[in-house]
Short mmCIF file of all heavy atoms in Angstrom, two decimals:
data_model
loop_
_atom_site.label_atom_id
_atom_site.label_comp_id
_atom_site.label_asym_id
_atom_site.label_seq_id
_atom_site.Cartn_x
_atom_site.Cartn_y
_atom_site.Cartn_z
N GLU P 27 16.34 -8.70 -13.12
CA GLU P 27 14.90 -8.95 -13.20
C GLU P 27 14.51 -10.30 -12.60
O GLU P 27 13.47 -10.42 -11.94
CB GLU P 27 14.43 -8.87 -14.66
CG GLU P 27 12.94 -8.93 -14.81
CD GLU P 27 12.46 -8.65 -16.21
OE1 GLU P 27 13.23 -8.10 -17.03
OE2 GLU P 27 11.30 -8.98 -16.50
N VAL P 28 15.33 -11.32 -12.78
CA VAL P 28 15.02 -12.65 -12.25
C VAL P 28 14.99 -12.61 -10.72
O VAL P 28 14.06 -13.10 -10.09
CB VAL P 28 16.03 -13.70 -12.76
CG1 VAL P 28 15.81 -15.05 -12.09
CG2 VAL P 28 15.93 -13.84 -14.28
N ALA P 29 16.01 -12.01 -10.12
CA ALA P 29 16.07 -11.91 -8.66
C ALA P 29 14.93 -11.05 -8.12
O ALA P 29 14.33 -11.36 -7.08
CB ALA P 29 17.42 -11.35 -8.23
N ALA P 30 14.61 -9.96 -8.82
CA ALA P 30 13.53 -9.07 -8.37
C ALA P 30 12.19 -9.78 -8.42
O ALA P 30 11.36 -9.61 -7.52
CB ALA P 30 13.52 -7.80 -9.21
N ASP P 31 11.95 -10.58 -9.46
CA ASP P 31 10.71 -11.36 -9.52
C ASP P 31 10.61 -12.31 -8.33
O ASP P 31 9.54 -12.46 -7.73
CB ASP P 31 10.61 -12.16 -10.82
CG ASP P 31 9.83 -11.43 -11.91
OD1 ASP P 31 9.20 -10.40 -11.62
OD2 ASP P 31 9.83 -11.93 -13.05
N GLU P 32 11.70 -12.97 -7.99
CA GLU P 32 11.71 -13.87 -6.84
C GLU P 32 11.33 -13.12 -5.57
O GLU P 32 10.63 -13.65 -4.72
CB GLU P 32 13.08 -14.52 -6.66
CG GLU P 32 13.40 -15.59 -7.67
CD GLU P 32 12.58 -16.85 -7.45
OE1 GLU P 32 12.40 -17.27 -6.29
OE2 GLU P 32 12.10 -17.40 -8.46
N ARG P 33 11.81 -11.91 -5.45
CA ARG P 33 11.59 -11.13 -4.24
C ARG P 33 10.24 -10.43 -4.19
O ARG P 33 9.61 -10.33 -3.13
CB ARG P 33 12.71 -10.10 -4.12
CG ARG P 33 12.68 -9.31 -2.87
CD ARG P 33 13.90 -8.44 -2.74
NE ARG P 33 13.77 -7.57 -1.59
CZ ARG P 33 14.47 -6.48 -1.41
NH1 ARG P 33 15.38 -6.12 -2.28
NH2 ARG P 33 14.28 -5.74 -0.35
N PHE P 34 9.75 -9.92 -5.34
CA PHE P 34 8.59 -9.03 -5.34
C PHE P 34 7.35 -9.53 -6.07
O PHE P 34 6.24 -9.09 -5.73
CB PHE P 34 8.97 -7.67 -5.95
CG PHE P 34 10.00 -6.93 -5.19
CD1 PHE P 34 11.28 -6.77 -5.70
CD2 PHE P 34 9.72 -6.38 -3.95
CE1 PHE P 34 12.26 -6.07 -5.00
CE2 PHE P 34 10.68 -5.68 -3.23
CZ PHE P 34 11.95 -5.52 -3.76
N LYS P 35 7.48 -10.37 -7.08
CA LYS P 35 6.33 -10.73 -7.92
C LYS P 35 5.19 -11.34 -7.11
O LYS P 35 5.40 -12.22 -6.29
CB LYS P 35 6.75 -11.70 -9.03
CG LYS P 35 5.64 -11.93 -10.03
CD LYS P 35 6.10 -12.70 -11.22
CE LYS P 35 4.92 -12.83 -12.18
NZ LYS P 35 5.30 -13.42 -13.41
N ASP P 36 3.99 -10.83 -7.35
CA ASP P 36 2.75 -11.26 -6.69
C ASP P 36 2.74 -10.99 -5.18
O ASP P 36 1.98 -11.60 -4.44
CB ASP P 36 2.46 -12.74 -6.96
CG ASP P 36 2.21 -13.01 -8.43
OD1 ASP P 36 1.60 -12.15 -9.10
OD2 ASP P 36 2.65 -14.06 -8.93
N LYS P 37 3.57 -10.05 -4.74
CA LYS P 37 3.63 -9.70 -3.32
C LYS P 37 3.20 -8.25 -3.14
O LYS P 37 3.42 -7.41 -4.01
CB LYS P 37 5.03 -9.91 -2.77
CG LYS P 37 5.42 -11.38 -2.79
CD LYS P 37 6.77 -11.61 -2.23
CE LYS P 37 7.06 -13.11 -2.32
NZ LYS P 37 8.45 -13.39 -2.41
N PRO P 38 2.60 -7.95 -1.98
CA PRO P 38 2.20 -6.56 -1.73
C PRO P 38 3.41 -5.67 -1.46
O PRO P 38 4.39 -6.11 -0.86
CB PRO P 38 1.31 -6.67 -0.48
CG PRO P 38 1.72 -7.94 0.18
CD PRO P 38 2.22 -8.85 -0.90
N VAL P 39 3.32 -4.44 -1.95
CA VAL P 39 4.37 -3.45 -1.74
C VAL P 39 3.74 -2.10 -1.44
O VAL P 39 2.59 -1.85 -1.75
CB VAL P 39 5.31 -3.31 -2.96
CG1 VAL P 39 6.10 -4.58 -3.20
CG2 VAL P 39 4.55 -2.89 -4.20
N ILE P 40 4.53 -1.25 -0.83
CA ILE P 40 4.18 0.16 -0.68
C ILE P 40 5.33 0.94 -1.29
O ILE P 40 6.49 0.72 -0.92
CB ILE P 40 3.99 0.56 0.80
CG1 ILE P 40 2.82 -0.23 1.40
CG2 ILE P 40 3.74 2.06 0.92
CD1 ILE P 40 2.63 -0.01 2.88
N VAL P 41 5.01 1.77 -2.28
CA VAL P 41 6.04 2.53 -2.98
C VAL P 41 5.77 4.03 -2.79
O VAL P 41 4.62 4.46 -2.76
CB VAL P 41 6.12 2.19 -4.48
CG1 VAL P 41 6.62 0.78 -4.68
CG2 VAL P 41 4.80 2.36 -5.17
N THR P 42 6.83 4.77 -2.65
CA THR P 42 6.75 6.23 -2.53
C THR P 42 7.69 6.83 -3.56
O THR P 42 8.82 6.36 -3.72
CB THR P 42 7.17 6.69 -1.12
OG1 THR P 42 6.29 6.10 -0.17
CG2 THR P 42 7.11 8.21 -1.00
N GLY P 43 7.22 7.82 -4.28
CA GLY P 43 8.07 8.47 -5.26
C GLY P 43 7.41 9.70 -5.85
O GLY P 43 6.25 10.00 -5.58
N LYS P 44 8.19 10.38 -6.66
CA LYS P 44 7.71 11.58 -7.36
C LYS P 44 6.87 11.12 -8.55
O LYS P 44 7.26 10.23 -9.30
CB LYS P 44 8.89 12.40 -7.82
CG LYS P 44 8.50 13.75 -8.41
CD LYS P 44 9.73 14.49 -8.86
CE LYS P 44 9.83 15.75 -8.04
NZ LYS P 44 10.93 16.60 -8.49
N ILE P 45 5.72 11.76 -8.73
CA ILE P 45 4.82 11.41 -9.82
C ILE P 45 5.38 11.92 -11.14
O ILE P 45 5.60 13.12 -11.32
CB ILE P 45 3.41 11.98 -9.60
CG1 ILE P 45 2.80 11.35 -8.34
CG2 ILE P 45 2.52 11.73 -10.82
CD1 ILE P 45 1.47 11.97 -7.94
N GLN P 46 5.63 10.97 -12.05
CA GLN P 46 6.11 11.30 -13.39
C GLN P 46 4.93 11.59 -14.32
O GLN P 46 4.98 12.48 -15.15
CB GLN P 46 6.93 10.13 -13.95
CG GLN P 46 7.52 10.40 -15.31
CD GLN P 46 8.12 9.15 -15.89
OE1 GLN P 46 7.77 8.78 -17.00
NE2 GLN P 46 9.02 8.50 -15.18
N SER P 47 3.85 10.79 -14.17
CA SER P 47 2.66 11.03 -15.00
C SER P 47 1.43 10.39 -14.36
O SER P 47 1.53 9.48 -13.55
CB SER P 47 2.85 10.50 -16.42
OG SER P 47 2.94 9.10 -16.42
N ILE P 48 0.27 10.92 -14.75
CA ILE P 48 -1.04 10.41 -14.35
C ILE P 48 -1.84 10.30 -15.63
O ILE P 48 -2.01 11.28 -16.34
CB ILE P 48 -1.75 11.37 -13.37
CG1 ILE P 48 -0.85 11.67 -12.16
CG2 ILE P 48 -3.09 10.79 -12.92
CD1 ILE P 48 -1.32 12.86 -11.35
N SER P 49 -2.32 9.09 -15.94
CA SER P 49 -3.00 8.90 -17.22
C SER P 49 -3.95 7.71 -17.15
O SER P 49 -4.23 7.20 -16.07
CB SER P 49 -1.95 8.71 -18.31
OG SER P 49 -2.53 8.83 -19.59
N LYS P 50 -4.42 7.27 -18.32
CA LYS P 50 -5.28 6.08 -18.46
C LYS P 50 -4.68 5.19 -19.53
O LYS P 50 -4.09 5.68 -20.50
CB LYS P 50 -6.69 6.48 -18.87
CG LYS P 50 -7.44 7.25 -17.83
CD LYS P 50 -8.84 7.57 -18.32
CE LYS P 50 -9.60 8.39 -17.30
NZ LYS P 50 -10.95 8.73 -17.79
N ASP P 51 -4.86 3.86 -19.36
CA ASP P 51 -4.39 2.93 -20.37
C ASP P 51 -5.41 2.82 -21.51
O ASP P 51 -6.43 3.54 -21.51
CB ASP P 51 -4.06 1.56 -19.76
CG ASP P 51 -5.27 0.80 -19.24
OD1 ASP P 51 -6.43 1.19 -19.51
OD2 ASP P 51 -5.05 -0.21 -18.54
#
């Protein structure tokens, strides 16, 4: 998690994957 935050936190990403769920918080 520490390394991933360094690499990704507050940065734009494009993710592709299978939808597990669609909902509201």
Side-chain angles (χ1 to χ4, degrees):
E27 188 172 343
V28 173
D31 265 351
E32 286 289 318
R33 185 173 173 199
F34 297 110
K35 188 171 182 173
D36 296 323
K37 295 181 181 153
V39 294
I40 297 175
V41 293
T42 300
K44 187 181 243 185
I45 297 173
Q46 182 189 126
S47 67
I48 305 165
S49 193
K50 293 181 182 179
D51 67 11

